[in-house]
Amino acid sequence: GRWAGEISNRKPDGELETIWLMLSVVEDTTRESRQVVGVLSSISQLLERHKALETAANHDALTGLPNRRLLADRLRQAMELAKRNRKLLAVCYVDLDGFKPINDRLGHAAGDEVLRVVAQRMTAALRGADTVARMGGDEFVLLLGNLAHVNEANKLLHLLMFELGQPMDVFDQQVRVAVSMGVTVYPTDDSTAEVLLVHADKMLYTAKADGKACLRLYPGD
């Protein structure tokens, strides 16, 4: 005697909107006369609000990149895909060299602009199926999947290091940063998602200790 569901409804101006429709059967005392009462409720704004909240929960507010939460999901999916297709997945931790002096000298607004430019350059330099996530501060994580050989990752990452090292104009000032990278490759490194990130982070610290502006691959020397 009842039904409820989500449907599309056309408004008087011709625009489609999503509505929630509830239908209820009404009978008289003899249970012979039956009518149906429908109640329509617009939920377009509710759905838009839900999408906005979902985006905010899974993306970095400053750069629009996936955050830690979405990265965890992307990493698990990428690992499953790599194992199924017998391909390699490179997990890379990236840290900016020279970011703090820019932030201190020009201010936090300039630092934020540098992070936005870096995010844009990373996204543009990598392939569409790759993931670029911001971990916080000036640290990022890259997921490079569908690799036949580790040299493919090495080539992509060195190209990215070159692109990120180019000067950028920030508030009428030209600045530049370099990057240090720590990388591990799955399933050569057959660890869990959490441990893969730990290994990549460990190699990032090795790169920093080795003079910065370089890439180090797990397990190292």
Side-chain angles (χ1 to χ4, degrees):
R2 288 184 175 84
W3 180 88
E6 184 181 308
I7 66 172
S8 292
N9 180 57
R10 194 173 296 280
K11 297 193 290 188
D13 62 3
E15 181 184 354
L16 281 175
E17 67 172 342
T18 303
I19 64 171
W20 187 258
L21 172 61
M22 294 187 293
L23 299 175
S24 300
V25 173
V26 179
E27 300 174 336
D28 62 14
T29 55
T30 66
R31 302 183 67 84
E32 291 181 357
S33 177
R34 298 166 61 88
Q35 295 183 349
V36 176
V37 175
V39 178
L40 305 176
S41 304
S42 175
I43 59 172
S44 294
Q45 291 184 343
L46 180 62
L47 290 175
E48 290 174 4
R49 177 62 176 164
H50 176 73
K51 290 178 181 178
L53 289 173
E54 186 174 325
T55 298
N58 291 299
H59 291 80
D60 173 55
L62 177 65
T63 63
L65 295 176
N67 60 15
R68 288 176 179 269
R69 178 177 173 178
L70 184 55
L71 174 67
D73 184 59
R74 294 270 184 93
L75 178 51
R76 284 190 291 269
Q77 291 182 28
M79 290 170 68
E80 291 173 4
L81 189 62
K83 185 159 284 189
R84 183 165 64 247
N85 295 340
R86 297 183 179 180
K87 295 287 188 175
L88 300 178
L89 167 68
V91 180
C92 179
Y93 238 105
V94 180
D95 184 79
L96 304 185
D97 302 321
F99 173 74
K100 189 176 184 301
I102 295 173
N103 206 42
D104 292 344
R105 180 167 57 90
L106 300 180
H108 293 298
D112 287 348
E113 183 62 19
V114 169
L115 293 173
R116 280 190 285 264
V117 172
V118 166
Q120 292 166 2
R121 288 184 178 182
M122 285 183 175
T123 303
L126 299 180
R127 304 163 303 173
D130 297 328
T131 291
V132 183
R134 184 184 177 210
M135 302 300 281
D138 59 342
E139 287 191 339
F140 300 81
V141 167
L142 314 178
L143 304 180
L144 312 181
N146 199 35
L147 303 171
H149 194 277
V150 67
N151 284 342
E152 289 185 50
N154 193 50
K155 182 178 179 180
L156 279 169
L157 292 173
H158 276 92
L159 174 62
L160 180 61
M161 292 176 74
F162 174 78
E163 293 294 335
L164 294 179
Q166 299 306 303
M168 62 185 81
D169 292 321
V170 176
F171 299 163
D172 298 325
Q173 299 239 13
Q174 193 172 80
V175 299
R176 64 196 309 163
V177 294
V179 291
S180 297
M181 296 184 177
V183 187
T184 190
V185 178
Y186 176 84
T188 305
D189 178 3
D190 195 11
S191 302
T192 65
E194 293 76 12
V195 174
L196 287 174
L197 290 172
V198 170
H199 288 169
D201 192 30
K202 174 184 176 182
M203 299 317 297
L204 171 62
Y205 278 94
T206 300
K208 290 282 193 181
D210 287 347
K212 304 181 179 180
C214 61
L215 181 157
R216 292 295 180 262
L217 178 66
Y218 182 85
D221 296 332

